[in-house]
Amino acid sequence: MITFLGCKEEEESLSIDFGYNYAPLNVGDFFIYQIDSIYYDDFANTVDTFRYQLKEVIDSSYELLGGETGFRIERYYRSHSNQDWKIKNVWVAYKTVSQFVRIEENQSIVQLVFPIAEDLKWDINHKNNLPAATAEITEIQPNFNNGVLSFDSTITVTLQDEENLIEKRFKAVHYSKDYGLVYRKLQDLRTEVNGKIVRGIDYSLYLIEKGKE
């Protein structure tokens, strides 16, 4: 009986889905994102729109000082699809049993924590010297459409959601199993009481293609 219970508990623990495939890291994978930004400038009384594409390629892997496997991510950009890609920068990503981390501009940012669960909160900056910033998994969805592609099994990570009569600050990202990041939204806007935007930025990033090099 004791042996049976022990085997049952072991099988249940092995069947737990920690959600590691929300952050896939496979050498050779590439991801192309469309980025749209709108800048509102009340001083110059202008509204400027910028559109470009970003490509991330998981180029190679190597052992980090802490013993984790680091993945070199080469990042490229272009203004539109008929241009050649130009190198932008190189970042690094790695996963541990409990975290998914990206080293961006020499800052380690905790993108996700495991196991994935709704209402789970963490400080994305606890591995660097930046001010604390709380992220929360606010939704686990069976499907999600980012405006271009549809995905199964997605999660929403909200980093900021504040709004009053004259300000709106919102930051959230969506991850999908086997795709990773599929959508990012950032709004930092100053408005008039009637809702008219007078200053700030409205930024969207969405995955448009995934492939293998």
Side-chain angles (χ1 to χ4, degrees), residues 40-209:
Y40 301 85
D41 187 339
D42 58 340
F43 181 78
N45 195 28
T46 58
V47 179
D48 295 315
T49 300
F50 299 93
R51 305 187 79 239
Y52 65 97
Q53 292 184 345
L54 174 71
K55 181 180 182 181
E56 295 193 344
V57 181
I58 303 179
D59 173 69
S60 57
S61 64
Y62 60 98
E63 185 175 336
L64 299 175
L65 292 177
E68 302 90 357
T69 299
F71 291 82
R72 174 187 165 94
I73 301 174
E74 295 183 348
R75 307 176 78 239
Y76 302 82
Y77 73 96
R78 64 186 181 187
S79 297
H80 43 77
S81 58
N82 60 359
Q83 281 190 334
D84 292 333
W85 292 104
K86 296 181 180 179
I87 187 71
K88 179 178 175 66
N89 49 28
V90 176
W91 289 355
V92 175
Y94 66 90
K95 281 189 290 191
T96 69
V97 173
S98 60
Q99 298 177 339
F100 167 52
V101 181
R102 279 171 59 120
I103 304 174
E104 306 174 356
E105 310 299 339
N106 295 319
Q107 299 286 355
S108 296
I109 310 294
V110 182
Q111 309 288 335
L112 289 173
V113 293
F114 307 112
I116 296 296
E118 198 164 348
D119 301 324
L120 186 63
K121 296 180 180 181
W122 68 96
D123 175 13
I124 67 171
N125 289 329
H126 84 265
K127 286 183 172 291
N128 59 53
N129 295 321
L130 298 174
T134 300
E136 179 181 3
I137 297 177
T138 52
E139 190 172 9
I140 298 177
Q141 304 161 281
N143 52 68
F144 173 75
N145 186 289
N146 71 354
V148 178
L149 302 173
S150 295
F151 306 91
D152 297 328
S153 303
T154 61
I155 59 174
T156 303
V157 178
T158 301
L159 295 103
Q160 190 173 26
D161 191 359
E162 303 171 0
E163 187 172 5
N164 56 42
L165 289 176
I166 60 171
E167 292 177 316
K168 180 178 178 64
R169 292 186 176 91
F170 179 79
K171 296 179 184 178
V173 293
H174 296 256
Y175 294 90
S176 176
K177 284 186 175 181
D178 302 320
Y179 286 87
L181 175 66
V182 296
Y183 183 70
R184 182 190 304 274
K185 185 69 173 179
L186 182 153
Q187 293 176 308
D188 189 350
L189 303 170
R190 183 68 180 264
T191 66
E192 296 178 349
V193 176
N194 62 8
K196 179 184 177 181
I197 300 172
V198 294
R199 184 171 68 248
I201 180 174
D202 191 338
Y203 169 100
S204 299
L205 172 151
Y206 41 97
L207 181 71
I208 60 175
E209 183 182 346

Side-chain angles (χ1 to χ4, degrees), residues 31-43:
F31 306 83
I32 298 177
Y33 300 94
Q34 179 67 45
I35 296 174
D36 298 331
S37 298
I38 305 174
Y39 290 86
Y40 301 85
D41 187 339
D42 58 340
F43 181 78

